[in-house]
């Protein structure tokens, strides 16, 4: 009944700490629904938006590399939807921490990518947008390598690939990725 948009809490934390983000996703990209939306608007922390504006924000952020996560009341996927998180692999509290080698990653995925490597031309778009490094392209290689065990089902690879290498297949599963070795962190710590 009510939709609001506010600044992304995760992105704001990294911004305050002057930690760089490689994506051009607007700060105002956290979508609240229902009672949370009314609270955000009443507190002056966000603004009410229409369904059409909400859809446009989702499409714009997703095209820039945001992962779309629906958050539910009490983290129960059978409960009411409470928010739509549009965070990037750099700023997301959980995936950003995994990519910095701070924490392991444990997520419930509802899709998984399947790859037809024969279609790959080595353009690296999928590598750039994969949040967990499930897709790599070795130096001098002509085609990508894909590790389905690292796939969290975000769909960024399928969305950005121009050669139909990836398709998304529905299927609920838990994905656990142990802490990344520091040498593989997206950002090198001082």
């Amino acid at each position: 009944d009510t939709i609001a948009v506010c600044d992304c809490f995760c992105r704001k934390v990294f911004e305050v700490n002057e930690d760089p983000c490689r994506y051009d996703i607007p700060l105002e990209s956290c979508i609240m629904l229902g009672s949370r939306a009314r609270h955000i608007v009443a507190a002056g922390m966000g603004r009410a938006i229409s369904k059409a504006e909400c859809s446009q924000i989702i499409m714009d952020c997703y095209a820039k590399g945001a992962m779309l996560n629906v958050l539910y009341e009490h983290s129960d996927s059978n409960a009411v939807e409470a928010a739509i998180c549009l965070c990037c692999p750099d700023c997301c509290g959980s995936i950003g921490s995994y990519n910095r080698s701070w924490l392991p990653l444990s997520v419930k995925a509802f899709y998984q990518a399947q790859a037809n490597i024969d279609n790959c031309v080595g353009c690296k778009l999928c590598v750039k947008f994969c949040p967990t490094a499930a897709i790599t392209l070795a130096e001098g290689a002509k085609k990508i390598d894909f590790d389905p065990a690292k796939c969290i089902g975000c769909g960024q690879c399928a969305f950005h690939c121009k050669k139909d290498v990836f398709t998304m297949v529905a299927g609920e599963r838990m994905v656990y990725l142990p802490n990344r070795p520091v040498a593989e962190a997206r950002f090198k710590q001082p």
Side-chain angles (χ1 to χ4, degrees):
D1 61 348
T2 307
I3 307 170
V5 65
C6 62
D7 288 354
C8 172
F9 301 112
C10 298
R11 192 167 296 111
K12 195 74 168 169
V13 167
F14 286 111
E15 180 184 276
V16 166
N17 289 310
E18 298 179 1
D19 203 347
C21 178
R22 297 169 298 143
Y23 298 81
D24 185 30
I25 298 166
L27 185 60
E28 187 186 60
S29 60
C30 191
I31 297 171
M32 300 293 171
L33 306 170
S35 63
R36 281 186 170 71
R38 289 188 295 279
H39 172 75
I40 289 291
V41 171
M45 297 172 59
R47 61 185 177 85
I49 58 173
S50 67
K51 286 181 183 179
E53 187 175 3
C54 178
S55 294
Q56 191 62 54
I57 290 169
I58 290 170
M59 290 306 300
D60 290 348
C61 290
Y62 193 76
K64 292 180 177 189
M67 298 162 293
L68 179 101
N69 297 298
V70 177
L71 307 176
Y72 298 90
E73 293 282 343
H74 311 293
S75 298
D76 177 1
S77 59
N78 294 314
V80 174
E81 296 89 354
I84 300 171
C85 176
L86 293 162
C87 226
C88 72
D90 290 348
C91 299
C92 174
S94 58
I95 295 174
S97 293
Y98 166 75
N99 283 324
R100 286 172 173 78
S101 299
W102 295 345
L103 296 171
L105 181 64
S106 181
V107 297
K108 183 186 277 190
F110 295 93
Y111 289 89
Q112 181 164 13
Q114 288 186 342
N116 180 355
I117 305 297
D118 291 339
N119 289 353
C120 181
V121 296
C123 72
K124 291 188 178 180
L125 273 174
C126 58
V127 174
K128 175 183 176 183
F129 287 100
C130 180
T132 59
I135 308 166
T136 56
L137 184 67
E139 189 69 35
K142 303 276 189 224
K143 296 185 183 293
I144 54 112
D145 284 316
F146 174 60
D147 183 351
K150 288 184 173 182
C151 176
I152 60 169
C154 70
Q156 283 291 330
C157 56
F159 182 81
H160 288 282
C161 182
K162 310 259 188 278
K163 299 296 181 182
D164 295 322
V165 173
F166 297 96
T167 54
M168 300 305 295
V169 177
E172 186 175 320
R173 64 197 167 83
M174 287 302 297
V175 177
Y176 176 78
L177 302 177
N179 204 24
R180 285 179 85 154
V182 172
E184 294 177 16
R186 285 193 189 239
F187 296 106
K188 304 303 180 211
Q189 300 304 313

